[in-house]
Amino acid sequence: MAPLAHYFLFVLIILAVSSASVTTRSAGSEAEALLQWKDSLHNPSDLSLLSWKLLRPHNYSSGHHDMKSRGGNCCRWTGIVCNRYGSVMKINLTSSNLRGTLQNFSFSSFPNLHTFVLYNHSLYGSIPSHISNLSRLTYLDLRMNHFSGNIPSEMGLLTSLRVIYLSMNDLNGSLPLIISSIRNLSSLSILTMGANKISDFIPQEIGRLKSLVELWLFENHLVNSIPASIGNLSHLSILSLYTNKITGSIPRELGKLESLTELYLDGNHLTGSIPQAFGNLSSLDEIDLNDNCLTGSIPASIGNLSNLTGLYLYGNQLSHLVPSALGNLVKLRYLELGNNQFSGPIPSEIGKLKSVIWLSFYGNKVTGSIPLELNNLTNLEYLQLQANLLSGDLPENICFGGKLKEFYASYNNFTPTIQKRLKSCTTLIRIELQANQLTGNISEVFGIYPNLYYMDLSNNKFYGELSEMWGRYNNLSMLNISNNEISGQLPVELGKASQLRILDLSSNLLEKIPKELGQLKLLFSLKLNNNSLSSGVPTEIGMLLELRQLDLSSNNLSGPIPQDLANCSKLIYLNMSKNKFSEIIPFQIGKLGSLQNLDLSHNLLGGELPLELENLHNLETLDLSHNNLTGFIPSTYKEMLSLTSVDISYNQLEGPLPQIKAFTEASAQALENNKDLCGNNTSLKPCPTPKEKNKKLGAFYIIVLISGTLIILLLITVGILIIHHKRETNIDEPGEPQIETLFAAWRHDGKKIHEEIIEATENFESKYCIGVGGYGSVYKSLLSTGEVVAVKKFHENSGVLSQESFKSEISALTKVRHRNIIKLLGYCSHRRHSFLVYEFMEEEA
């Protein structure tokens, strides 16, 4: 026996040494394969692969130790797990953004690999068919990459596979072919291929995968109906087919899936009713049938689903009454019945759903008042009642639980008096009460909501003035109180609501725009139209650099349009019509390059159109009608190629239209009541050609020439008649004109007259002086012609008074004609002496 025992011991030692040798060689090849794949990646130096490198062992002496050392090192790399023999059994690399393909991955080098995870990277290309070499693979996860092409049929050879995760890639192919290739994977429990491009229908063969627990085929291109064979998957816990193009009715066989906990069929084209058999799915936790075409009523058997936490039926055509049996779903947290055709009252049994946090009846035909039992829903966070036929009061204690965040009750017929039912709802972040008949003082019925970001109270009958509290909504981004009866001035504190992005206070009775609105740096929509705003627009509006929409129309605003609006470079819509704006259109408007709609109609704007408007290349609608604009329309407006609608009626514009479609195809009403427009438009006369212009110009010159000639002839005739009349007058009064006529011969020669007077008076010798006055002396002078004149010489040193007297006397005597006033014949103003020449009267002093 001893020799035989020794023999067996020898054989075991040989086998052990042989096995160790094989394992060492295998480990070495695995490390080489991993390094080879790493080098093929676009980012081999990624941080997750820093440890993937070979290290020499401390006892390294010769080359025959190299393979073993390399194998040992591999097991300590990131994402690598080895068995006790040093062979890789798990590769788990997640969320490292590795970029590359699997074409250089040597699957055959990993005989012991059972887990292969490359989740959430940027890997692309096809899944290689030689993945079938991973004969022991049980867990495959290639989710959230960019793999494309068909799923290889060779995957069906991986008979040990239990889990396949391929969701969120770009894989395509026919689902029947895929299922056919893997139908023999009897151990497969999880199959996820959602969010790909897989097409065709769900085959009956899917019922052969009887070990399936989870089936995820969401967001593909699947068509036709759901096969009844799915009802054979008795272990199925999750069925996700949402967002496909599946049609037909829901098979009642799904009611056999007693292990089902989650059912997602939303976003398809399912028709028919909800199967009564769904009441058998006692394990069901969540059912989502949103956005289909289901009809009929909610089966009362749904009330049997005592474990249900989420029931989503939004966006179907379900009708009739909401069953009171829903009150049995005491674990329900989400009840979504919106956008259907339910009618009748809200059942009071809904008040039993004390766990519910989301309750939606939005967009139905629900009538009556809100049951008082809803006050029991102390965990409620989201309540949607909008777009129904509800009436009566709002729930009095709806905020009793102190958790309500969003409340929607718009488009109903709630009782006018809102009282103070929502004042204590300090947890609210969104309120929508628009389009009811609610009334009350705007600053009394609402409280301070620190986290409120959205409030719509439009189309009600709230009154009063906005108080300073509206500036204390630090998170408010949207405020709409349009179409109410709010009066007074906007509070300056509103400028402190620094997060406001949309402010709509249109159609109220507001009186003035505070400059503090310029502090709302994030505002992109401001609507104050249809109020009683007066005075000017504060220049601070130009500080709203994010503004896209500004509507100030239908007010009593006056003064110039602020040039600072040019700073609002992101403006798309600008309406300042139906005001009393005056002066010119500021050329700075041409800097609003994003502008698509501009309406300045029904104002008092004048002057010419600014050339700079040609820069509004995105402008689509332009309305400048009912102003006092003058001059020509700049021809460069033809560059406004986006313009589709224009109205320039009721101005004083003239000349040709710009050659673009918006003008040439404008209606007659859009051009009427101007001065003299012309151009290529059926409602206008054509503009004259150059020849026609020359003809008209020649005719104009001829008319001017003839008219001028006639006027000259008329003047000559009138002149002759006047002279003739004067001659007749001179004949009637003989004796006076003789001296005047003789003196007139020198009248236009001042120098000769001056010399004659100086010589006749011997430079004003005293012997010729016949009188002395306050400002001068009078001399008798005998002229060379024989006439005698009186010369009044002003004193040389009398200064300003003497000069004033000199001018006054000339002015008076040249305008007055009377037989008792001595006639002035002439005068001389010289730097040495000034004098007047009168007709000499012998018998007068």
Side-chain angles (χ1 to χ4, degrees):
M1 285 292 292
L4 184 61
H6 288 115
Y7 173 76
F8 280 116
L9 180 61
F10 175 74
V11 170
L12 288 174
I13 292 172
I14 293 297
L15 289 174
V17 171
S18 175
S19 175
S21 177
V22 170
T23 300
T24 300
R25 288 196 299 272
S26 173
S29 64
E30 289 173 345
E32 291 287 355
L34 289 173
L35 289 176
Q36 181 183 2
W37 179 65
K38 172 189 173 183
D39 291 339
S40 73
L41 297 175
H42 299 311
N43 54 341
S45 59
D46 188 272
L47 292 176
S48 62
L49 302 181
L50 282 181
S51 62
W52 285 30
K53 53 187 176 181
L54 297 176
L55 297 174
R56 288 186 178 184
H58 295 296
N59 59 348
Y60 175 82
S61 59
S62 63
H64 70 276
H65 293 288
D66 187 56
M67 190 65 72
K68 182 177 180 180
S69 66
R70 296 177 90 167
N73 287 334
C74 169
C75 297
R76 292 190 289 271
W77 292 353
T78 300
I80 305 299
V81 178
C82 297
N83 59 22
R84 60 180 178 172
Y85 300 113
S87 179
V88 176
M89 63 178 185
K90 287 185 180 181
I91 298 176
N92 190 348
L93 297 170
T94 63
S95 305
S96 297
N97 197 33
L98 298 178
R99 298 194 303 274
T101 71
L102 292 179
Q103 301 307 315
N104 292 312
F105 193 96
S106 178
F107 293 102
S108 59
S109 298
F110 301 92
N112 299 305
L113 191 68
H114 63 72
T115 300
F116 189 37
V117 178
L118 294 176
Y119 167 76
N120 193 20
H121 295 285
S122 295
L123 300 172
Y124 62 93
S126 61
I127 299 174
S129 59
H130 52 279
I131 194 173
S132 59
N133 290 325
L134 301 176
S135 58
R136 296 187 180 182
L137 193 66
T138 62
Y139 191 103
L140 174 64
D141 189 351
L142 301 179
R143 285 175 295 169
M144 296 186 68
N145 281 284
H146 304 290
F147 291 117
S148 58
N150 293 322
I151 297 172
S153 60
E154 288 81 0
M155 198 173 288
L157 301 176
L158 301 175
T159 54
S160 298
L161 263 180
R162 297 173 181 268
V163 175
I164 300 177
Y165 286 120
L166 299 177
S167 296
M168 288 168 275
N169 280 286
D170 295 315
L171 297 168
N172 53 41
S174 169
L175 183 61
L177 293 178
I178 296 171
I179 298 300
S180 177
S181 66
I182 63 173
R183 63 186 177 182
N184 294 323
L185 301 183
S186 57
S187 300
L188 191 64
S189 62
I190 297 177
L191 175 60
T192 75
M193 297 187 291
N196 280 288
K197 299 176 181 178
I198 296 171
S199 59
D200 227 326
F201 58 93
I202 305 173
Q204 289 285 349
E205 282 183 296
I206 202 164
R208 296 179 59 174
L209 299 173
K210 294 188 177 181
S211 296
L212 271 184
V213 176
E214 298 181 18
L215 177 60
W216 302 81
L217 298 175
F218 62 92
E219 293 182 18
N220 279 290
H221 303 304
L222 302 179
V223 296
N224 293 355
S225 59
I226 301 172
S229 62
I230 286 186
N232 299 328
L233 305 178
S234 57
H235 300 289
L236 199 63
S237 173
I238 299 175
L239 175 59
S240 178
L241 305 176
Y242 70 85
T243 314
N244 278 284
K245 299 177 182 179
I246 299 173
T247 58
S249 60
I250 301 173
R252 63 177 182 274
E253 286 79 5
L254 293 188
K256 297 160 56 177
L257 302 176
E258 295 182 359
S259 299
L260 199 64
T261 60
E262 299 175 31
L263 176 62
Y264 305 108
L265 303 179
D266 49 301
N268 283 287
H269 304 296
L270 295 170
T271 56
S273 59
I274 300 173
Q276 187 78 20
F278 272 14
N280 300 326
L281 303 177
S282 57
S283 300
L284 204 59
D285 176 74
E286 193 167 316
I287 177 171
D288 193 341
L289 303 177
N290 283 347
D291 296 309
N292 279 286
C293 303
L294 299 172
T295 56
S297 59
I298 301 174
S301 61
I302 292 293
N304 299 332
L305 305 180
S306 56
N307 291 308
L308 201 65
T309 62
L311 176 59
Y312 303 93
L313 303 177
Y314 174 88
N316 283 282
Q317 300 173 27
L318 299 169
S319 57
H320 305 296
L321 299 176
V322 176
S324 58
L326 293 183
N328 298 329
L329 307 177
V330 293
K331 293 184 180 180
L332 201 65
R333 292 171 57 82
Y334 299 91
L335 177 57
E336 175 60 85
L337 304 179
N339 202 16
N340 279 284
Q341 298 177 21
F342 293 116
S343 57
I346 298 174
S348 59
E349 288 80 1
I350 296 295
K352 297 179 181 180
L353 306 178
K354 295 184 179 181
S355 298
V356 75
I357 63 175
W358 179 291
L359 179 60
S360 175
F361 289 91
Y362 158 67
N364 282 283
K365 300 177 181 178
V366 178
T367 58
S369 59
I370 300 174
L372 293 175
E373 288 78 4
L374 259 62
N375 291 327
N376 299 328
L377 306 181
T378 54
N379 288 303
L380 194 61
E381 297 181 11
Y382 304 90
L383 177 57
Q384 297 185 343
L385 304 174
Q386 69 269 38
N388 278 287
L389 302 173
L390 294 166
S391 57
D393 292 331
L394 293 176
E396 185 172 0
N397 297 314
I398 199 65
C399 300
F400 183 73
K403 296 181 179 180
L404 191 64
K405 295 180 180 180
E406 298 187 15
F407 180 43
Y408 305 83
S410 55
Y411 299 98
N412 278 288
N413 297 306
F414 285 114
T415 300
T417 304
I418 191 173
Q419 297 176 2
K420 299 180 181 179
R421 297 175 185 269
L422 296 177
K423 196 162 188 174
S424 61
C425 297
T426 56
T427 55
L428 281 170
I429 62 174
R430 185 175 181 125
I431 305 174
E432 291 193 26
L433 300 176
Q434 68 269 28
N436 280 284
Q437 299 295 319
L438 300 172
T439 186
N441 191 311
I442 192 71
S443 291
E444 294 179 359
V445 296
F446 297 102
I448 300 296
Y449 312 112
N451 300 310
L452 190 71
Y453 75 90
Y454 190 104
M455 175 178 271
D456 193 341
L457 307 176
S458 61
N459 294 285
N460 281 290
K461 295 182 179 180
F462 292 114
Y463 58 85
E465 297 186 7
L466 296 175
S467 68
E468 53 83 24
M469 79 169 189
W470 295 90
R472 294 160 63 185
Y473 291 117
N474 297 325
N475 293 306
L476 191 62
S477 64
M478 189 279 187
L479 177 61
N480 187 349
I481 317 180
S482 63
N483 287 285
N484 280 279
E485 299 172 9
I486 311 302
S487 58
Q489 296 188 5
L490 284 172
V492 297
E493 290 82 4
L494 195 57
K496 296 179 181 179
S498 58
Q499 297 301 309
L500 264 179
R501 288 164 171 79
I502 300 174
L503 178 59
D504 188 349
L505 302 176
S506 60
S507 299
N508 280 287
L509 304 170
L510 297 168
E511 298 173 3
K512 189 177 180 181
I513 304 174
K515 65 180 181 180
E516 285 75 11
L517 289 188
Q519 299 173 15
L520 303 175
K521 304 299 184 184
L522 301 178
L523 200 66
F524 65 78
S525 179
L526 176 59
K527 298 181 69 175
L528 300 175
N529 51 296
N530 288 302
N531 275 284
S532 301
L533 300 173
S534 57
S535 301
V537 178
T539 58
E540 286 78 4
I541 293 295
M543 298 168 60
L544 303 176
L545 304 184
E546 297 298 321
L547 203 62
R548 268 77 163 176
Q549 181 180 32
L550 176 61
D551 194 342
L552 302 178
S553 62
S554 300
N555 281 288
N556 294 311
L557 296 167
S558 57
I561 295 174
Q563 299 178 4
D564 303 79
L565 281 177
N567 297 329
C568 304
S569 58
K570 297 180 181 180
L571 262 180
I572 295 174
Y573 179 93
L574 176 59
N575 190 344
M576 307 183 79
S577 64
K578 297 179 182 177
N579 280 286
K580 297 177 182 178
F581 290 114
S582 56
E583 301 186 22
I584 62 172
I585 298 174
F587 70 87
Q588 290 86 351
I589 295 291
K591 296 180 180 180
L592 301 175
S594 300
L595 203 61
Q596 296 178 7
N597 296 277
L598 175 61
D599 191 346
L600 304 178
S601 63
H602 294 272
N603 279 290
L604 304 173
L605 298 169
E608 298 185 350
L609 293 173
L611 287 170
E612 288 76 7
L613 292 189
E614 69 183 49
N615 297 322
L616 302 179
H617 297 303
N618 291 305
L619 196 66
E620 297 176 2
T621 302
L622 174 64
D623 193 345
L624 303 176
S625 63
H626 295 84
N627 280 289
N628 297 313
L629 300 170
T630 59
F632 291 81
I633 304 171
S635 61
T636 51
Y637 282 14
K638 66 183 179 181
E639 302 299 327
M640 302 165 70
L641 300 180
S642 296
L643 199 61
T644 58
S645 174
V646 65
D647 191 344
I648 54 173
S649 61
Y650 292 90
N651 281 287
Q652 299 296 318
L653 298 169
E654 57 184 303
L657 295 178
Q659 292 298 310
I660 56 171
K661 194 173 182 179
F663 282 95
T664 59
E665 295 185 4
S667 66
Q669 292 78 13
L671 304 175
E672 66 183 356
N673 282 286
N674 274 286
K675 186 175 181 180
D676 191 18
L677 289 174
C678 64
N680 187 20
N681 186 292
T682 55
S683 63
L684 299 176
K685 62 183 180 182
C687 294
T689 61
K691 286 185 178 180
E692 291 173 337
K693 287 183 179 180
N694 292 336
K695 286 182 180 178
K696 290 182 178 180
L697 195 59
F700 173 75
Y701 287 148
I702 291 172
I703 292 170
V704 170
L705 183 60
I706 293 173
S707 300
T709 303
L710 291 174
I711 291 171
I712 292 171
L713 291 174
L714 180 61
L715 292 173
I716 292 172
T717 302
V718 172
I720 292 172
L721 291 174
I722 292 173
I723 293 171
H724 180 69
H725 177 71
K726 283 187 175 181
R727 284 181 178 175
E728 289 180 350
T729 305
N730 290 338
I731 293 172
D732 291 339
E733 296 183 12
E736 280 191 13
Q738 186 178 3
I739 294 175
E740 185 176 350
T741 304
L742 291 170
F743 195 79
W746 296 342
R747 190 163 196 148
H748 300 293
D749 192 347
K751 183 177 180 182
K752 190 171 184 180
I753 294 172
H754 180 265
E755 291 175 351
E756 178 74 14
I757 296 296
I758 295 298
E759 184 178 348
T761 59
E762 298 180 20
N763 200 19
F764 298 105
E765 276 289 329
S766 58
K767 63 182 181 179
Y768 297 103
C769 182
I770 59 175
V772 178
Y775 293 108
S777 302
V778 181
Y779 295 85
K780 181 180 179 179
S781 176
L782 177 62
L783 300 178
S784 60
T785 58
E787 290 94 356
V788 178
V789 296
V791 179
K792 181 178 180 179
K793 174 181 175 293
F794 286 81
H795 298 315
E796 296 177 10
N797 299 319
S798 298
V800 175
L801 291 176
S802 177
Q803 287 297 317
E804 291 297 325
S805 177
F806 175 68
K807 294 177 181 177
S808 298
E809 197 163 339
I810 291 172
S811 176
L813 293 175
T814 53
K815 295 177 180 177
V816 178
R817 289 288 185 271
H818 195 273
R819 64 176 61 250
N820 296 325
I821 296 177
I822 298 173
K823 185 175 292 184
L824 178 67
L825 300 178
Y827 60 88
C828 176
S829 177
H830 194 271
R831 66 178 180 273
R832 289 185 56 199
H833 35 241
S834 300
F835 53 82
L836 304 176
V837 182
Y838 294 94
E839 180 182 358
F840 183 75
M841 305 294 290
E842 282 286 353
E843 300 177 355
E844 300 291 335

